Amino acid sequence: MTRAIDDLLSAAVASGEVPGVVAMAATDSGIVYQGAFGKRALDKPEAMGFDTTLRLFSMTKAITGAAAMQLVEQGKLSLDAPIAELLPDLAAPKVLEGFDAAGQPRLRPAKGAITLRQLLTHTAGFGYETWNADIKRYQEVTGIPGLSSGKLSSMNMPLTFDPGTAWEYSISIDWAGRAVEAASGEDLETYFKRHIFAPLGMKDTAFIQSDDQRARRATVHQREADGGLRPMVLDRPDRGEFFGGGGGLFGTVPDYLAFTRALLAGGAPLVRPETMAEMARNSIGDIDVVPLQSFVPERSALADFWPGMKQKWGLTFLINTGTTPQGRAPGSLSWAGLGNLFFWVDPTRRVTGVFATQVLPFFDPRTMRVFRDFETAIYKSL
């Protein structure tokens, strides 16, 4: 199995499907696969390795969710109380209904209060500029910067629907990160280091990288129209005005696997088993997760993990309701990062995996094929 996956990933690098990749998988018994291939940047000689740091993008979200649930355990946060009790900026949310004849936004008061559960499940009503054209237009009309600017003012966005009535991938977990800070009295960098990274030995995961960690960072690459890959400078600062709980972390694949192995183990040492069970169940009821249809093709392709299958959301995880073509059992937990990083935790078949590269757009078909083949090979080996 190891040789087969080595051949698969090295061939993907040689063919230009990915510039470099790090992939790992583990069961209850320990690590069953680890491999690193290619380069950190196509225009530089350094090899991709297990010590390579990457932009985790939205793989940050599950870590923020775990932090929030630690505070729920302690009674410092409530899943279902109005979050405005801690975050006054969310006390009177407005819903964007469209734009008038003059191009100005039409806003109305939202029906109902926003809760932490809604923030963690993307049902609070917020959107993302990459996947919602109205949000992008609102930014342009009002002059509010995009989230990637790192500006705190980028959080001041209207809702796209009333809280609890639909699912839309969004900035809501950035707001959940702000709730963690308000409830704990610590900024996210400090809180994560003390309560998540240190217990798990995640020594290379941080919002603020050291000089050594930055020197080991992989470069993001853009897929060109001819299928080639071009190293690019990403238009976001390393450190903004706030720590982005929705996508601001850097880290390594071994570090992230330590986190997913804790989830596979029922949450220990991060949360109690009953808390992990709450995180892993469907928390959106009859609402379904919908495909991410981007209108910014250089940032994201159409992202539908399992076409035709109902997909649900737990407390920061996508949940598949059927067995996937790769072999993942129903009720597994997963998510991803914009640069085509992916993780999954399968409590039934007792396996977890992390696959990471740095390629845009998200859900790039060539990169997705490599990830799917990697996951399939892991399941065939079980």
Side-chain angles (χ1 to χ4, degrees):
M1 182 269 289
T2 297
R3 286 196 301 270
I5 298 179
D6 283 351
D7 291 345
L8 162 72
L9 298 180
S10 61
V13 169
S15 66
E17 291 182 292
V18 292
V21 59
V22 183
M24 298 182 69
T27 65
D28 289 337
S29 301
I31 294 173
V32 295
Y33 178 79
Q34 53 185 349
F37 301 89
K39 295 180 177 181
R40 293 178 187 166
L42 289 178
D43 57 349
K44 296 179 181 177
E46 291 81 11
M48 200 78 142
F50 298 112
D51 66 341
T52 297
T53 63
L54 309 113
R55 289 184 182 270
L56 296 182
F57 294 103
S58 287
M59 298 237 292
T60 304
K61 288 180 168 64
I63 294 174
T64 301
M69 294 307 292
Q70 288 178 335
L71 294 167
V72 169
E73 282 187 345
Q74 298 167 28
K76 295 179 179 179
L77 281 176
S78 167
L79 280 172
D80 298 308
I83 199 65
E85 295 173 8
L86 273 176
L87 301 176
D89 288 345
L90 297 184
K94 297 288 200 311
V95 175
L96 176 63
E97 290 193 314
F99 299 84
D100 63 23
Q104 294 303 303
R106 291 187 291 107
L107 300 169
R108 64 163 174 83
K111 300 173 184 176
I114 295 172
T115 67
L116 177 63
R117 187 184 301 276
Q118 292 165 351
L119 292 176
L120 296 179
T121 56
H122 300 289
T123 59
F126 290 105
Y128 255 139
E129 61 203 71
T130 298
W131 293 280
N132 189 305
D134 283 346
I135 290 296
K136 182 65 175 175
R137 184 177 178 186
Y138 183 86
Q139 291 171 333
E140 292 169 349
V141 169
T142 61
I144 292 177
L147 196 68
S148 62
S149 69
K151 301 287 188 182
L152 193 55
S153 59
S154 68
M155 300 275 285
N156 298 326
M157 298 301 295
L159 308 185
T160 59
F161 52 84
D162 289 309
T165 62
W167 183 93
E168 182 168 345
Y169 195 48
S170 70
I171 66 169
S172 64
I173 298 180
D174 287 289
W175 279 110
R178 303 284 290 171
V180 168
E181 292 182 328
S184 68
E186 298 176 326
D187 62 52
L188 282 190
E189 177 83 330
T190 302
Y191 186 92
F192 285 1
K193 282 184 175 179
R194 290 183 60 191
H195 303 286
I196 294 180
F197 302 156
L200 296 178
M202 297 170 66
K203 60 183 177 59
D204 270 326
T205 305
F207 287 103
I208 304 171
Q209 289 194 296
S210 67
D211 290 342
D212 172 62
Q213 290 166 336
R214 193 176 298 108
R216 292 184 271 123
R217 188 195 303 176
T219 296
V220 177
H221 295 72
Q222 180 74 52
R223 181 77 67 190
E224 303 280 64
D226 63 2
L229 290 165
R230 170 180 55 84
M232 63 177 293
V233 176
L234 204 62
D235 59 344
R236 60 177 63 187
D238 280 2
R239 182 177 181 181
E241 294 177 353
F242 67 103
F243 294 118
L249 284 173
F250 299 90
T252 63
V253 170
D255 271 15
Y256 206 88
L257 188 73
F259 173 68
T260 66
R261 291 181 72 183
L263 303 180
L264 185 65
L270 301 180
V271 296
R272 297 192 292 261
E274 58 268 30
T275 301
M276 188 66 229
E278 176 70 14
M279 295 168 69
R281 74 175 183 87
N282 169 26
S283 283
I284 62 175
D286 294 334
I287 297 171
D288 292 329
V289 171
V290 298
L292 303 183
Q293 179 66 67
S294 176
F295 66 98
V296 188
E298 65 272 18
R299 285 300 171 95
S300 177
L302 172 66
D304 186 354
F305 279 82
W306 300 287
M309 180 192 296
K310 281 186 178 294
Q311 298 163 59
K312 298 296 182 176
W313 201 267
L315 298 179
T316 66
F317 307 110
L318 179 69
I319 302 172
N320 53 293
T321 61
T323 301
T324 72
Q326 293 73 40
R328 197 183 299 181
S332 295
L333 315 175
S334 65
W335 197 232
L338 186 71
N340 287 289
L341 308 92
F342 304 91
F343 77 89
W344 82 92
V345 177
D346 186 335
T348 300
R349 301 199 64 185
R350 309 305 302 166
V351 63
T352 179
V354 180
F355 173 99
T357 186
Q358 300 279 264
V359 172
L360 291 176
F362 179 57
F363 237 74
D364 167 59
R366 297 181 66 177
T367 307
M368 284 302 299
R369 183 164 54 249
V370 181
F371 168 56
R372 298 297 200 199
D373 289 348
F374 164 69
E375 185 180 354
T376 299
I378 292 297
Y379 275 99
K380 284 183 177 179
S381 74
L382 297 179

